[in-house]
Amino acid sequence: MTDRPDGGDGGALSALLHETRRFEPPADFAARANARPGIYEEAAADPEAWWARQAEHLTWDHHWDRVLDWEEPSARWFAGGRLNAAYNCVDRHVEAGHGGRVAFHWVGEPEGDIRTITYADLQAMVCRAANALVELGVEAGDRVMIYLPMIPEAVVAMLACARLGAPHSVVFGGFSAEALAARTLDADARVAITADGGYRRGATSALKPNLDEALERCPAVRSVLAVRRTGQEVAWKEGRDVWWHDVVDRQSDRHEAASFDAEHPLYLMYTSGTTAAPKGILHTTGGYLVHTATTHRLVFDIKPDEDVYWTAADIGWVTGHSYIVYGPLANGATSVLYEGTPDAGGRDRWWRIIEEYKVSILYTAPTTIRTLMKWGEDLPAAHDLTSLRLLGSVGEPINPEAWMWYRRHVGGDRCPIVDTWWQTETGGILIAPLPGITATKPGAAMAALPGVSVDVVDGDGNPVGNGEGGYLVVDRPWPGMLRGIWGDPERYRQTYWSRFPGRYFAGDGAKKDEDGDLWLLGRVDDVMNISGHRISTTEVEHALVSHPQVAEAAVVGASDPTTGQGIVAFVTVKGDAAQSDEEGAALVVALRETVASAIGPIAKPRQILLTPELPKTRSGKIMRRLLRDVAEHRELGDVTTLVDPTVVNMIDGKMQSAETAGED
Ligand code: WTA
């Protein structure tokens, strides 16, 4: 952890706190909003009773006995209750007469490649997939890996697992074979679901070949179910690999959903921590579904029979799990599911999708908003975006410029913006304005949701006053909270519940402004946020030092105008490796590839600087704080604890000359 509770932003974000613009909820929005005045007071009066009332929106096979059993750090929500998550997301809507409602308008990356999937269709697809998984020997409790592009089968596969009580572990398609293998081994999965490949800006990318490579290290995986998406040639292992269209399509479209304990594991989602090993965040069934459905209903104001909702994120991240799959489907919403990048088929692709499907609610990340901003306001202006009524943001702090651009050029100055703070660990949104109730400020996530209690504390755990910053903590258990780190209860306790006893430590810096409203300031630990994706500095350092010519590596996240943060690596080489400029340049290229194959292309450093030495304290600790100053072109902080203070000046000089030489 750094010693800077302001998130180490060097004061840039603190300047935001002088923001004076305020946007009141539009009266017509407020008149029809799902969140009613008084909701905060009502929830605060008895949070557990309030969550229990939200839980009544789901269909339970057996009612819970107690709302919460809490023995820090272990929570059981809706203890004794039983339900099936897939039944709640699909079947019950069909049984209620909404089978003809569209669940997904799926838009493939190639133009014209579209599918419309109603709730009745989804029910049949999920039942067939569940029957196929049973045929492959999947039983309740078995972990199933999912490594798929953004195609309907990804949602179907997740729900089929949920239906069987087999926790899924979805790995983002951009992760490498090595990263996939580590996750598969940690989860001890026996079955994996993939596709031959996926589309990315017109080109096809390989998925099954990566999985095949990963599985060389995972002999316990006995079945691979593969969707044919791109039609590319793929290797085939007889006895292990089967095609989705061979095995799933011939199954019955009926399947009886069993009910599971509210605390039955629903899924694992691996995320980066401060050490090299990613942690398998465990979510369970009842509380998670209550949390995602409730927050989706209140924060996104969903009206299932009117809205067209679009979370423009990948299913491989928690945002896709909670706000493409579980929350929207539990609420019976109609969503857009888009396979590609914002510029696939032209930089106006998003605006065309919104216009065509009359999208009313859009949820995306600041990094994407900044990219769209760079492409210019003429593109959104050329399309009819008047169907939009609400905009959301997630993944990193949103800068006021991006917020204002989003409001004006996408939301036509009429749509409320909800800046939503949460994490893989929290399962769902914890901090956000409620549209129709909360006046918003550009860049502020504003306040904890009803039923949620957060605070900002100093290093000793004392709440800070208004106008001050510190560490974000959550004071009370919440239904969507992680139940643990897969296979590592001690790491769970240590990471989240030891820094401030009795409170959940989020790892984020935050400030309360003069009005007591909350501003999130970014991570205070060694986790970077690259385009809204969490990557640990340690993970990248491990990848770099795995290269035979590297002696030591230090990695920092430096602020970046588009991606939020960019990865900058400082590397020392062994012996007489890479002495000439040419050898150095070749090594830098090789190192970027090493990182891509260890983690994935998303983790490739923006810049790698080869240096004879790294700045160290007398106890041998690398001073990353100073390297961050270097990477962000700031005046260097305190260098007195260094063994050799000249080292950092030397690196600073090297950095500057590298940049003038255009090596960046
Ligand atoms: C950051 C993504 C500021 C934060 C849902 C958190 C945010 C990490 C916001 C979790 C926001 C997410 N404002 N920062 N609205 N939302 N973050 O697990 O640092 O991929 O700890 O979950 O993203 O990232 P994760």
Side-chain angles (χ1 to χ4, degrees), residues 252-577:
S252 158
D253 58 10
R254 288 176 180 265
H255 175 270
E256 191 68 37
S259 59
F260 294 100
D261 190 275
E263 287 299 334
H264 188 80
L266 180 62
Y267 69 81
L268 299 180
M269 167 111 264
Y270 283 84
T271 189
S272 293
T274 52
T275 66
K279 33 190 191 188
I281 302 300
L282 171 66
H283 284 293
T284 59
T285 308
Y288 174 80
L289 208 58
V290 170
H291 193 115
T292 52
T294 304
T295 50
H296 185 253
R297 193 173 63 247
L298 295 174
V299 178
F300 296 111
D301 194 49
I302 196 79
K303 309 279 197 291
D305 47 1
E306 297 172 24
D307 282 310
V308 178
Y309 172 84
W310 183 15
T311 289
D314 197 284
I315 276 177
W317 305 104
V318 75
T319 305
H321 280 48
S322 298
Y323 298 106
I324 293 178
V325 181
Y326 289 108
L329 292 176
N331 289 334
T334 295
S335 293
V336 165
L337 182 67
Y338 172 53
E339 184 184 28
T341 56
D343 57 349
R347 288 179 167 181
D348 63 347
R349 188 70 186 270
W350 270 32
W351 316 126
R352 285 193 278 131
I353 292 173
I354 291 171
E355 186 167 19
E356 177 164 356
Y357 292 95
K358 302 203 169 10
V359 172
S360 54
I361 304 166
L362 175 67
Y363 188 34
T364 187
T367 182
T368 313
I369 298 168
R370 289 191 294 266
T371 301
L372 296 166
M373 214 170 138
K374 264 202 299 208
W375 295 341
E377 54 237 36
D378 293 352
L379 293 174
H383 293 271
D384 180 4
L385 307 182
T386 51
S387 56
L388 287 171
R389 66 181 192 92
L390 179 62
L391 304 174
S393 173
V394 62
E396 54 176 314
I398 179 164
N399 48 311
E401 299 70 35
W403 197 101
M404 288 302 295
W405 189 89
Y406 198 27
R407 178 181 157 85
R408 177 150 310 143
H409 298 290
V410 183
D413 279 327
R414 79 187 168 274
C415 304
I417 296 181
V418 287
D419 175 14
T420 65
W421 179 89
W422 59 293
Q423 309 175 295
T424 305
E425 291 87 338
T426 68
I429 301 167
L430 292 192
I431 304 176
L434 283 181
I437 294 201
T438 319
T440 54
K441 301 174 184 175
M446 302 305 292
L449 292 181
V452 174
S453 174
V454 306
D455 209 341
V456 181
V457 299
D458 64 21
D460 299 324
N462 303 312
V464 304
N466 288 355
E468 290 173 23
Y471 302 98
L472 181 71
V473 293
V474 188
D475 291 329
R476 206 187 288 135
W478 64 99
M481 65 190 277
L482 77 166
R483 299 303 197 266
I485 295 177
W486 189 251
D488 201 344
E490 181 48 29
R491 188 176 178 192
Y492 167 63
R493 204 191 55 74
Q494 188 64 33
T495 309
Y496 306 106
W497 300 97
S498 67
R499 178 75 178 80
F500 300 108
R503 289 144 157 189
Y504 170 86
F505 174 57
D508 274 46
K511 284 198 181 187
K512 297 179 189 167
D513 69 14
E514 296 301 336
D515 305 319
D517 295 322
L518 294 172
W519 297 71
L520 277 305
L521 302 177
R523 303 288 309 188
V524 292
D525 54 15
D526 294 328
V527 176
M528 299 174 288
N529 190 327
I530 317 296
S531 297
H533 302 326
R534 274 166 71 169
I535 298 171
S536 104
T537 53
T538 333
E539 224 173 328
V540 180
E541 286 167 3
H542 271 240
L544 290 167
V545 295
S546 75
H547 190 280
Q549 293 187 356
V550 171
E552 259 191 319
V555 165
V556 299
S559 57
D560 184 285
T562 305
T563 58
Q565 284 189 312
I567 303 177
V568 178
F570 300 86
V571 169
T572 63
V573 298
K574 285 183 186 156
D576 54 4

Side-chain angles (χ1 to χ4, degrees), residues 90-103 117-123:
V90 185
D91 305 60
R92 65 177 183 139
H93 305 309
V94 178
E95 288 168 14
H98 304 309
R101 185 186 292 162
V102 173
I117 297 162
T118 64
Y119 274 91
D121 297 334
L122 190 60
Q123 184 183 35

